[in-house]
Amino acid sequence: MPEGHTIHRLAEDHLARFGGHPVRVTSPQGKFSDSAALIDGQVLDGVDAHGKHLFLGFGAGWVHIHLGLFGKVGFGDAPAPPPTDTVRLRIAGAGAYMDLRGPTTCALITGPEKRAIHERLGPDPLRDGDDPDKAWRRVSRSRTAVAALLMDQKVLAGVGNVYRAEVLFRHGIDPYRAGKDLTRAEWDAIWADLVALMREGVRDNRIDTVRPEHTPEAMGRPPRVDDHGGEVYVYRRATLPCHICGGEIRTAGLAARNLFWCPTCQKP
Ligand SMILES: [Zn+2]
């Protein structure tokens, strides 16, 4: 599942390619045909992202997209080739086209429906003005492990499996520590770090979390080879040596996903 930085990047990519111009909107697969007909020929006049939810604004409403585990967005240059029948949504403009396949959600919604989605999501480190206090109020009252709270989109929106593992490592926090045992200073540091790391993720379109002193160049080690890309401390590094203490990185299931951490660097 993509993390929040990917969705914010997709919002920017849609605006850059289609913003301010009328576009053709179709649903070759058919499931979105009625809604596509309502916005076909309209101007894309706004985009928004909150956590893993993408919103494309047209006069007739917002297209709400959630990729889920299997959804994919693909961009190409115009002219668009004939679509395959797996394309739920195609947007075609003068210079580019976009094909959406396999999303969990692709629906035309109203402004009030969009606001209701924002209200049930936690603050997103990538949304200017989102309030980390809203997440802190829930985290600080919870007996749930902080690693599970970070993945709960009602608590905090946009953080996925990579950022949760990495931010907890960067702050030396045991992933199984209860939310209520986190200090306010620790929470503020986690939030500030997520804002910085995820902004970098949007800009570079990949997740890098190692500090300058732990890059392959600085440590004289080979770069990480992984189709997820990026240099990380613990994510998918189970049984490998920790970049800081040399101990073995561990893995276990938590909140339906594999968790990774260093038991030496991350104290209870
Ligand atoms: Zn370590």
Side-chain angles (χ1 to χ4, degrees), residues 169 242 245 262 265:
F169 179 89
C242 173
C245 73
C262 172
C265 294

Side-chain angles (χ1 to χ4, degrees), residues 77-138:
D77 294 330
T84 61
D85 60 9
T86 56
V87 175
R88 178 81 59 90
L89 166 67
R90 168 172 282 190
I91 298 175
Y97 72 96
M98 182 286 290
D99 282 344
L100 169 68
R101 291 182 171 84
T104 298
T105 304
C106 174
L108 187 61
I109 61 172
T110 64
E113 286 169 331
K114 178 173 179 284
R115 277 196 294 281
I117 293 168
H118 290 301
E119 278 162 20
R120 67 165 201 257
L121 290 169
D124 177 341
L126 287 171
R127 285 174 71 83
D128 289 338
D130 268 17
D131 183 5
D133 285 0
K134 200 177 156 192
W136 171 245
R137 284 195 289 274
R138 298 186 70 146

Side-chain angles (χ1 to χ4, degrees), residues 6 10 13-14 17-18 54 65 67 70-78 80-81 86-92 96-103:
T6 303
L10 282 176
D13 287 346
H14 277 85
R17 285 170 173 80
F18 306 118
L54 173 65
I65 295 168
L67 294 176
F70 305 108
K72 289 260 185 304
V73 168
F75 291 104
D77 294 330
T86 56
V87 175
R88 178 81 59 90
L89 166 67
R90 168 172 282 190
I91 298 175
Y97 72 96
M98 182 286 290
D99 282 344
L100 169 68
R101 291 182 171 84

